[in-house]
Amino acid sequence: MPDVRIPTPLRKLTDGQAVVSVEGGDLRSVVTNLDAAHPGLGDRILDDRGELRRFVNVFVRDEDVRFQSGLDTEVAESDTVSIVPAVAGGAGRVT
Amino acid sequence: MTTLDVRPVTTPTVTGLRCRECGEPEDLGALHVCSYCFGPLEVVYDETAIAARVSRSRVEAGPGSLWRYADLLPVLSEDPDTRVDLGTGATPLRPAPRLGERLGLDDLWLKDDTRNPSGSFKDRVVTVALSAARALGLDTIACASTGNLANSVAAHAAATGMPAYVFIPSDLERGKVVGSVVYGANVVAVEGDYDAVNRLAAEVADTRGWGFVNVNLRAFYAEGSKSLGFEIAEQLGWRFPDHVVAPLASGAMFCKIDKAFGELQRYGLVEGSRPRMSGAQATGCSPIAEAFERSSLDVRPQRPDTIARSLAIGNPADGYYALQVADATGGVIGHVSDAEIVEGIRTLAATEGIFAETAGGVVVANLRRFVAEGRIDPGERTVAIISGNGYKTVEAVAAGAEPTYRTSPSYTDLERVLAG
């Protein structure tokens, strides 16, 4: 099963585990199975439209999935999926 | 002889952190991501206390560094020993008539941030981040960097006696590698581009408890760039310029200059309409400019390929916000080729005596384009941000940079050579 690396802010949903293993042949099914195993995780990764949230970066085989096929990116048994929060500054505009 | 106590009076200005996207509050700490929605965290200021305190005269009586704006920057501790101050900021804002004439601009000014302790504007953000790190009790400092930030973190860590780990792409310009190693920092060269370095840093920050200035200290760090906006307005006699043109890498500095103008207005320090904010990228790494051209807020990541290494962030964290700022202020975002960047560096040096690194060339070359395309009015009071020193990236202009004449030490020989 592919390993999924979980960042600190999400570990409260995985009982503190930094790495979890779930089935899935592509990223979409990995996320679906993640959410089944750890309810709530799916919401943190996908937005209302079922797309990757703006501030979530996902890497499969150390490559940003936006350079691959997004949620359709293939995931092999031996692959590692990393979920990494984007680093944005939060410059709230003063109006 | 008694020793003068020159320690500053530091008054905390922040009450916590808050998610920029969903508004969820978080306690002050080395934390950059909302634990609910992954949105970026921003500092929450005690705005009532600041409004009661801040004034032009308080600023003017302050130190000759960015800390003269301490009332408007994140200060976490009353302990003056937490404050780091190597004299960063208060850099010159100079009229640039010769460059302006060359570009076709009648009222051009340069904010010369080549003049900071480690030679770039990054000293501003690092000053604020390290002060926050000390207030939070962190003992090791780190960063992911395209070079300038690594230099700055290494210098400030050295001066404060903190161990530092700076993560850089392994193929960086020699000057930027040397400029980190010399300060005694641990330099970690990562095989990959900046985006790979950044991603590794995010994972390291997550596990090792180090203070990564531009990752888990980013909420404080990014605020340091506001000092550019504060200084520009103060240096113009507490007035706004019409237009500011800044280089865009992550987009954070650009957004924070705009935020600074907003705060000056809110607290009644400056009146008048807010400046247009325009951004400058290199064609070889232009994800924000590309989204701007599509009139979209959706920044598509790119694989950088440009000599402007300091701006080579293919997946810019604040690109989304930078697009909003450009849009809200009537600014534009452009991009220029590497050849134009080199020409821009040379033009700036030859007209105004400022040797800028590649980002400065990017700004000058974009200014030229904005004029040519009618996107900037020649009469606008325009401030260009020159963010880093050219001695860091001599490679960019080394080609063809040979002595004009060669001669023996004989005066007769020299005369002959000069006569051609």
Side-chain angles (χ1 to χ4, degrees):
Chain A
M1 284 193 287
D3 283 339
V4 183
R5 295 176 60 86
I6 307 292
T8 307
L10 292 186
R11 287 185 201 155
K12 57 185 96 166
L13 296 172
T14 60
D15 301 320
Q17 296 177 83
V19 179
V20 300
S21 298
V22 294
E23 299 282 356
D26 60 18
L27 181 60
R28 194 183 307 276
S29 54
V30 166
V31 174
T32 304
N33 294 336
L34 258 184
D35 190 60
H38 306 281
L41 260 186
D43 261 3
R44 305 297 181 86
I45 298 168
L46 305 180
D47 65 17
D48 301 344
R49 297 168 301 151
E51 299 295 324
L52 284 174
R53 283 184 180 272
R54 186 186 302 283
F55 297 104
V56 174
N57 292 326
V58 179
F59 299 83
V60 175
R61 295 173 296 275
D62 284 333
E63 176 85 350
D64 192 324
V65 296
R66 283 177 291 182
F67 286 122
Q68 304 186 62
S69 309
L71 284 167
D72 297 321
T73 301
E74 282 182 28
V75 179
E77 284 287 299
S78 57
D79 282 341
T80 297
V81 177
S82 292
I83 301 168
V84 182
V87 180
R93 195 157 190 277
V94 179
T95 48
Chain B
M1 205 172 105
T2 54
T3 311
L4 207 60
D5 186 356
V6 293
R7 296 185 305 171
V9 176
T10 52
T11 310
T13 55
V14 296
T15 57
L17 297 169
R18 179 174 56 208
C19 176
R20 160 102 172 82
E21 290 299 306
C22 74
E24 193 76 7
E26 300 272 3
D27 291 338
L28 277 180
L31 202 62
H32 69 295
V33 172
C34 171
S35 58
Y36 183 71
C37 79
F38 271 18
L41 297 176
E42 59 185 355
V43 294
V44 181
Y45 287 96
D46 184 347
E47 290 174 7
T48 311
I50 292 171
R53 197 165 57 228
V54 71
S55 69
R56 289 183 185 178
S57 56
R58 253 177 81 88
V59 171
E60 287 162 355
S65 76
L66 61 79
W67 286 119
R68 64 202 279 110
Y69 308 100
D71 286 339
L72 301 171
L73 293 170
V75 176
L76 277 60
S77 170
E78 282 174 356
D79 177 1
D81 291 337
T82 61
R83 177 167 292 176
V84 177
D85 190 355
L86 302 192
T88 290
T91 59
L93 177 71
R94 291 177 28 186
R98 283 169 47 78
L99 177 62
E101 191 180 349
R102 188 75 73 88
L103 298 177
L105 291 169
D106 300 334
D107 196 9
L108 176 64
W109 298 64
L110 302 174
K111 183 62 174 162
D112 183 6
D113 249 26
T114 68
R115 305 267 287 259
N116 281 311
S118 79
S120 85
F121 90 100
K122 292 293 186 185
D123 291 327
R124 297 177 183 274
V125 285
V126 169
T127 295
V128 173
L130 249 70
S131 301
R134 284 154 70 91
L136 293 169
L138 300 174
D139 53 17
T140 301
I141 208 76
C143 69
S145 173
T146 58
N148 283 324
L149 179 58
N151 297 167
S152 183
V153 166
H156 284 78
T160 53
M162 291 174 92
Y165 289 81
V166 304
F167 290 69
I168 55 173
S170 58
D171 63 342
L172 218 50
E173 298 102 329
R174 189 75 191 136
K176 287 184 176 162
V177 177
V178 173
S180 295
V181 172
V182 71
Y183 297 112
N186 299 289
V187 176
V188 184
V190 180
E191 293 161 14
D193 60 16
Y194 174 76
D195 296 290
V197 175
N198 199 26
R199 181 231 150 161
L200 176 61
E203 293 197 79
V204 178
D206 213 19
T207 49
R208 297 205 70 120
W210 295 345
F212 270 81
V213 298
N214 57 336
V215 183
N216 52 5
L217 294 171
R218 194 175 180 89
F220 313 107
Y221 159 95
E223 287 287 290
S225 287
K226 289 193 308 190
S227 58
L228 274 166
F230 298 145
E231 287 176 17
I232 289 168
E234 184 189 356
Q235 288 168 317
L236 289 174
W238 296 105
R239 279 186 283 271
F240 291 135
D242 298 315
H243 200 160
V244 172
V245 180
L248 293 180
S250 76
M253 178 241 271
F254 179 80
C255 294
K256 294 296 184 178
I257 293 173
D258 175 68
K259 186 181 184 202
F261 294 146
E263 291 181 356
L264 291 172
Q265 200 172 47
R266 168 191 289 173
Y267 293 118
L269 299 178
V270 179
E271 292 172 0
S273 51
R274 298 262 289 274
R276 296 173 67 198
M277 292 294 305
S278 289
Q281 293 208 293
T283 304
C285 183
S286 49
I288 310 177
E290 191 272 336
F292 182 83
E293 282 167 11
R294 281 186 287 115
S295 303
S296 168
L297 295 177
D298 180 32
V299 178
R300 295 177 185 154
Q302 295 181 357
R303 290 183 198 287
D305 180 16
T306 169
I307 58 165
R309 301 298 304 276
S310 58
L311 304 182
I313 299 181
N315 186 8
D318 291 273
Y320 167 69
Y321 296 120
L323 286 160
Q324 290 178 331
V325 166
D327 192 46
T329 61
V332 294
I333 298 175
H335 60 87
V336 292
S337 69
D338 283 2
E340 291 172 273
I341 295 167
V342 171
E343 183 54 35
I345 297 171
R346 290 188 173 135
T347 304
L348 174 61
T351 55
E352 298 295 342
I354 297 176
F355 184 18
E357 61 119 47
T358 44
V362 170
V363 167
V364 170
N366 270 282
L367 274 172
R368 186 191 290 282
R369 282 220 185 183
F370 293 158
V371 174
E373 293 162 2
R375 299 164 105 180
I376 186 169
D377 188 297
E380 281 180 275
R381 172 164 290 179
T382 300
V383 174
I385 308 290
I386 307 301
S387 55
N389 196 302
Y391 291 103
K392 291 167 179 252
T393 59
V394 291
E395 295 91 336
V397 286
E402 296 299 329
T404 318
Y405 304 104
R406 288 185 186 277
T407 177
S408 78
S410 139
Y411 184 72
T412 334
D413 278 354
L414 174 67
E415 282 212 309
R416 195 173 57 237
V417 169
L418 290 180

